[in-house]
Amino acid sequence: MITRRSPASAGRSTLAAPPRPSLAVLCGVLVLAALWRGWLGPALDVAAVRTGATVFVAVCVQALPFLVLGVVVSGAIAAIVPAGLTRRLLPRNEIAAVGVAGLAGIALPGCECASVPVARRLMRQGVPVPVALAFLLAAPAVNPVVLVATAVAFPGVPSLVLARFLGSLGTSVVVGWLWARFGREEWVAGRAVVPDRPSGSRWAVFVATARSDLVDSGGFLVLGASAAACLNVLLPSSWLWAVGRSPVLGVVVLAVLAVVLALCSAADSFVAASLATLPLLPRLVFLVVGPAVDVKLIALQAGTFGRAFAARFAPLTFVVAVCVSVAVGLCVLGGYR
């Protein structure tokens, strides 16, 4: 069972943290790029770089609106919701609270990037870590926007929509339960769970919280998008499609592909639908694994909750998502088809 930290230094608001030098470094890089654009243009005008740049921009454009939504919700929670209220509304039994948090993910119509700052804000409001993690995994995959997009991408296959909902909900709940049983307090960075002590008007608290969360999360979104772009260019897609035709390799390859492509959960169903030569089961695995763990999400989680957390949470989520989606697919879809 995980308990929240209560260090004596919790009284200091994280909103008052000193500015980081990363912004100055970014501005310096942009200035140098502008000065050297005459030399950089021809040097970077190659097919692989153009493809990588396209993937990078696509991932950022897909994720940024939902990331903004997440930090807005995070700021609203900090400014409006009294400290401890969210925790009091949840069942006292942590196992039951994890299930409630999984179902509560229906209420946030965003992608996985939006759920990270919201989950951190819930932790700072006193919600136990496993409960917040269950919400983090459920929100991007069980909300109505994602389910409707899946139904549109797979017309006439309502069983796949149901299977995605059950697989994603099951993944969030199982991971939450496992973290409650085996997780340790020191795996989560202290900055993620130490409660804020903000001062000022509600509007000032909202603006400061949203700005802080956006700066913290935005940089790691860029790192994750960069990793996705590099992997898309370097990995041979022809090899992936070839081995994806085998039942066992098909599940493994589509799961890895979901991690590598780092698609938005509101758009990944259309990519899965385009893989019409593959059976439904590996495509279901693709749809369940993607919103739960991908390269940009790993980067966001490492920056938000610490590298020790991401190093344990990402592999656990990957294994659980694959196992749960395969089990649900065999039951709901009627086997490997």
Side-chain angles (χ1 to χ4, degrees), residues 116-185:
V116 173
V118 175
R120 178 174 63 176
R121 186 58 51 191
L122 292 175
M123 292 181 189
R124 290 182 173 180
Q125 289 280 359
V127 174
V129 171
V131 179
L133 295 181
F135 177 84
L136 182 151
L137 294 175
V142 303
N143 67 74
V145 173
V146 170
L147 296 179
V148 169
T150 306
V152 172
F154 291 89
V157 194
S159 59
L160 185 65
V161 181
L162 175 62
R164 182 175 193 179
F165 174 81
L166 295 177
S168 299
L169 180 62
T171 297
S172 66
V173 172
V174 171
V175 170
W177 286 342
L178 290 175
W179 199 269
R181 176 64 180 85
F182 300 105
R184 295 184 180 179
E185 180 181 344

Side-chain angles (χ1 to χ4, degrees), residues 179-254:
W179 199 269
R181 176 64 180 85
F182 300 105
R184 295 184 180 179
E185 180 181 344
E186 60 268 21
W187 291 348
V188 182
R191 63 179 181 272
V193 296
V194 173
D196 289 325
R197 295 291 185 267
S199 59
S201 66
R202 290 185 176 181
W203 174 250
V205 172
F206 169 79
V207 172
T209 301
R211 182 175 62 244
S212 175
D213 287 349
L214 183 60
V215 171
D216 287 344
S217 301
F220 291 96
L221 170 62
V222 171
L223 291 177
S226 302
C230 294
L231 291 172
N232 271 270
V233 172
L234 298 176
L235 286 181
S237 57
S238 58
W239 176 81
L240 291 174
W241 303 137
V243 299
R245 298 178 186 275
S246 169
V248 176
L249 288 179
V251 169
V252 175
V253 168
L254 265 293

Side-chain angles (χ1 to χ4, degrees), residues 96-126:
V98 167
V100 171
L103 291 173
I106 298 174
L108 182 62
C111 76
E112 55 272 18
C113 297
S115 64
V116 173
V118 175
R120 178 174 63 176
R121 186 58 51 191
L122 292 175
M123 292 181 189
R124 290 182 173 180
Q125 289 280 359

Side-chain angles (χ1 to χ4, degrees), residues 141-142 146-147 150-151 154 157-171 244 247 250-259 265 268-276 278-293 318 320-337:
V142 303
V146 170
L147 296 179
T150 306
F154 291 89
V157 194
S159 59
L160 185 65
V161 181
L162 175 62
R164 182 175 193 179
F165 174 81
L166 295 177
S168 299
L169 180 62
T171 297
V251 169
V252 175
V253 168
L254 265 293
V256 173
L257 192 63
V259 176
S265 60
D268 59 358
S269 54
F270 297 97
V271 176
S274 68
L275 308 176
L278 298 177
L280 285 178
L281 181 59
R283 287 191 279 175
L284 171 65
V285 173
F286 178 86
L287 294 175
V288 173
V289 171
V293 52
F318 180 83
V320 172
V322 171
C323 294
V324 171
S325 58
V326 168
V328 170
L330 292 176
C331 296
V332 177
L333 300 179
Y336 189 84
R337 66 180 186 84

Side-chain angles (χ1 to χ4, degrees), residues 85-93 96-98 100-101 104 126-128 131-132:
L85 176 60
T86 307
R87 180 66 186 94
R88 291 195 297 269
L89 292 176
L90 290 168
R92 292 187 177 182
N93 184 287
V98 167
V100 171
V127 174
V131 179

